[in-house]
Structures are given as C-alpha cells and as structure tokens.
Amino acid sequence: MLTADKVLDRYYLDVRCMLVEIAATLDRHDRAVADDAADSARDPRLDKVYEALAVLAEGSSTADRSERLLNMFSDLD
Amino acid sequence: MQIIQPHYHAIARTAQDYERMAMSGVVAVAEPAFWAGFDRDYPETFLDYFKQISEFEPTRAADYGIRHFCWVAVNPKEAENPVLSHQVLEKMPEFFEKPTVLGIGEIGFHKTTKNEEEIFEAQVELAIKHDQLILIHTPHLQDKVRGTKRTLEVLRHMNVDPEKVWIDHVEEHTIRGPLEEGYWVGFTLYPITKCTPKRAVDMLEIYGRERIIINSSADWGPSDPFTLQECIMDYRARGNSLQDAIEVFHNNPCRFLGQNPKFDIKPIRVQQEEVAQPLGSAT
C-alpha cells in the first residue's frame, strides 16, 4: 500500500482532471437547459449527481465513498 | 474526413503513429520544437534537432502520405539558460530558409522567470524581423494563469500582428484574454493535465470556431494523437456537420499556418454532404 503522500503524488492530477470534467459536464447541462425553455423539469439523474458530490464534499468521512456512491446510483428496492 | 494535426512531436513517436494517422484521415502534421526531456548543453544539439525535424521527419511522414511541417525555437524550459539560448538564436535564421519551416515556436513561459522572458522577447523580435509565424506555449497546471497573463503583457509592448500569433494550450480559465486581443488560440487535448476532447467541444460551443486550432500535442510523455479524432467524434455527435468539422480540424489550421506560403494546403469544402444518422441515435 502507498503512503498517504504517495497516494496524492500519484493520483492528485487524476482527481483534478476528473473534477474539472464533472464541472464541465454540469456547465454543459446548464447551458443546454438555458437554451431550451421547454426543458424546465429537473432530471432526477441530476439530483443523484449533486447528492454524490455532497458525499465527496464531506470533510471527514469513512473510506467507503465509492461504495456509498455506487449504492446511491443503484436500484436497491 | 481530412484532418490536420497542428501540434505533433514526431521525433518522440513511432512510425505506427504515422500509419494510423494516415488511416484515420490525417493529411499533415506540424511539429514545434520542444523540450527533449532533459536540458541540452550545446547549441549544436539544438541545430541538429532542427535539422532532424526540418529534413528527416518530412521523409518519414511522406512514407505514409502525410505532409510534415515544423517550427524552430528554444523552448520555454531551456530558455532558462540565456547564454545557450542566444547562441541558438544566432543560428536559427538559417532554418527559416528550409522549405517546411513555418516559424518560431514553441516559445513563451514555463515558470515565468526573468530569463524565460528575456528569451521569449528575443524570439518574438526575431520572428518580427524575419516575418515568421509565432507559436506560443502557455505553462502547465498551476502556472498557466500567471504565464498567460505575462505572455499577453509582453506581447502588448511588441509590434506583433496578433493574426500571426498562435497562443497554445489555453483552457477555460485562459481563453478569453488571447481571443479578445485578436490572437489565434489552441486547445491541446492531453490526458489528465490539459484539455479533454469534450471540454474542447464545449469551448467551441461557447466561443465559436474563429481563430481556434485544436491539437493533440503527442510527445514522449503520456499522450495520444488520436484524442483529435475523439474530439471530432464528440463534435459531430453534438450535431455539427461534416463541413463544420472540416472548418475546425482542417481549414482553421490551413488559415493560420497558410499565412506562411510554404504551408500550401488549402481549405476545403464538401461538395455534397450526406445526411448521416446522428451519432448515438440508433436504437
């Protein structure tokens, strides 16, 4: 297993890239909504995305974020 | 579709790249002079490098039906050594006479130091004196904003024609300044550290396609020349026509690079465009 520092050394830029990609996707969606007045209903998939981002934004958490996100995106009923 | 790969470091790539690029529509590449991964000690090493990209690489590309053009320069990283840089600059004009050399690039900032600025200014002056096109690298990651701002400040005090300057590697946070000041800008598709194909298409949607060049910057690091084709696919999937794609990925490079008459590939128009099924519409 890598040390905490080495994890960031190795994966920090990956994380940066993925976060920017998420931001760009949300921007893309916002622009599309602004362009299409008829498309006013909020898509429930977007709520899932923001819910997932809230999990990632927790300052301290247990190391099971990926499992929680995958469950969040699953039909569990 | 015919594609131009405007920023491609061929000396770091294999012939397989050329073969696959040819098979996927690439008709020409342009190779800027860049950092070799280590700092060179002798001016002659640069001169041999310029000879390689201006004499040998065109023959390697020609085996696959691809036209190869290049730029000469002291790259921003090695500009930190002004003595060596000035020695290289003295000899650089000899290469402007070569039939495939398009101008001076890539120059600019790496860490935005005084030495880098001195050599950047000297190379811009050289380009103006010899009426050469200019290709400017902007720094990576956390250094990009500061380096891009300083690039624009330096250029404002020099007598450059913005139409003849291409400021490369812009992203969402650095595109506006160069475009507003009349320069050409480049989006560099690069895994992890620069722009992704989808974000490049976003910027095309926001800023239009005028004075924009898209390139993959394939080099000796983790890079992939076929991110350009990935970008074209996403651009088409968002409803843009074949002609729209040709305007961005073929004709815009022709318009900028063609300001040097040595680049004689002309913009093209599709005579009859088939109405294709939009990507992703099949059930």
Side-chain angles (χ1 to χ4, degrees), chain A residues 12-18 20-21 24-25 27-28 31, chain B residues 141-142 171-173 192-193 196 198-199 202 205-206 238:
Chain A
Y12 173 76
L13 289 178
D14 286 347
V15 171
R16 174 189 183 276
C17 179
M18 288 185 275
V20 174
E21 202 66 25
T25 307
D27 290 345
R28 195 177 306 143
R31 288 197 308 276
Chain B
L141 300 168
Q142 67 271 23
E171 294 180 73
E172 290 88 335
H173 57 328
I192 309 298
T193 55
T196 61
K198 294 182 186 76
R199 287 169 48 213
D202 290 339
E205 287 180 346
I206 296 167
R238 296 198 202 179

Side-chain angles (χ1 to χ4, degrees), chain B:
Chain B
M1 176 180 151
Q2 293 189 26
I3 301 164
I4 291 171
Q5 174 66 272
H7 189 140
Y8 181 77
H9 297 296
I11 66 152
R13 312 294 300 188
T14 67
Q16 194 177 36
D17 257 19
Y18 277 131
E19 184 181 36
R20 290 180 176 173
M21 284 196 297
M23 288 192 292
S24 64
V26 173
V27 294
V29 301
E31 175 157 16
F34 82 141
W35 187 57
F38 69 100
D39 292 344
R40 286 162 273 211
D41 291 327
Y42 313 103
E44 291 81 5
T45 319
F46 281 85
L47 304 181
D48 277 343
Y49 169 47
F50 299 159
K51 190 175 163 189
Q52 181 178 8
I53 60 177
S54 63
E55 293 181 14
F56 174 63
E57 277 303 329
T59 67
R60 208 161 71 102
D63 284 343
Y64 300 92
I66 293 176
R67 301 279 303 280
H68 180 284
F69 299 87
C70 72
W71 303 72
V72 292
V74 174
N75 62 81
K77 207 163 185 303
E78 286 172 286
E80 191 55 28
N81 182 342
V83 174
L84 177 68
S85 299
H86 283 295
Q87 289 171 329
V88 177
L89 263 57
E90 271 178 37
K91 295 283 186 185
M92 219 174 347
E94 294 171 19
F95 290 89
F96 301 154
E97 306 305 318
K98 301 271 186 188
T100 57
V101 174
L102 300 174
I104 299 185
E106 47 190 311
I107 59 175
F109 290 113
H110 173 59
K111 291 291 180 186
T112 319
T113 67
K114 285 283 170 206
N115 285 342
E116 289 170 19
E117 186 162 322
E118 175 189 331
I119 301 306
F120 175 40
E121 285 182 338
Q123 294 194 92
V124 171
E125 278 169 9
L126 195 63
I128 293 169
K129 183 178 171 191
H130 292 270
D131 193 24
Q132 296 293 306
L133 295 174
I134 297 171
L135 167 52
I136 297 175
H137 162 98
T138 53
H140 306 283
L141 300 168
Q142 67 271 23
D143 300 314
K144 187 177 290 293
V145 171
R146 189 164 54 112
T148 306
K149 277 185 185 168
R150 191 64 196 144
T151 297
L152 294 175
E153 286 165 5
V154 168
L155 290 175
R156 268 182 223 127
H157 296 103
M158 305 189 77
N159 189 28
V160 288
D161 175 0
E163 276 284 329
K164 292 192 165 184
V165 178
W166 159 13
I167 298 181
D168 208 9
H169 319 319
V170 303
E171 294 180 73
E172 290 88 335
H173 57 328
T174 56
I175 182 174
R176 279 187 290 273
L179 270 186
E180 283 168 9
E181 296 194 28
Y183 300 103
W184 283 74
V185 298
F187 305 162
T188 303
L189 310 173
Y190 207 73
I192 309 298
T193 55
K194 292 194 177 89
C195 186
T196 61
K198 294 182 186 76
R199 287 169 48 213
V201 178
D202 290 339
M203 287 192 282
L204 286 170
E205 287 180 346
I206 296 167
Y207 296 99
R209 62 180 185 227
E210 195 180 341
R211 283 184 287 117
I212 287 176
I213 289 175
I214 302 186
N215 57 78
S216 74
S217 191
D219 58 32
W220 47 260
S223 52
D224 176 3
F226 298 96
T227 49
L228 199 54
Q229 282 79 351
E230 194 181 331
C231 189
I232 293 169
M233 195 168 83
D234 195 55
Y235 186 64
R236 296 292 315 276
R238 296 198 202 179
N240 296 291
S241 70
L242 177 60
Q243 185 63 47
D244 290 333
I246 287 171
E247 293 298 334
V248 176
F249 297 94
H250 181 279
N251 292 353
N252 273 1
C254 289
R255 291 180 183 111
F256 178 76
L257 301 173
Q259 294 180 88
N260 184 323
K262 293 180 208 167
F263 191 94
D264 54 0
I265 302 172
K266 302 298 178 196
I268 52 178
R269 278 208 70 79
V270 178
Q271 282 197 331
Q272 185 174 352
E273 191 159 343
E274 287 184 26
V275 181
Q277 186 175 31
L279 291 173
S281 65
T283 53

Side-chain angles (χ1 to χ4, degrees), chain A residues 42-60:
Chain A
R42 188 174 171 94
D43 190 312
R45 289 175 297 183
L46 201 58
D47 294 327
K48 290 265 191 200
V49 170
Y50 281 108
E51 210 178 316
L53 289 172
V55 168
L56 299 185
E58 290 170 6
S60 60

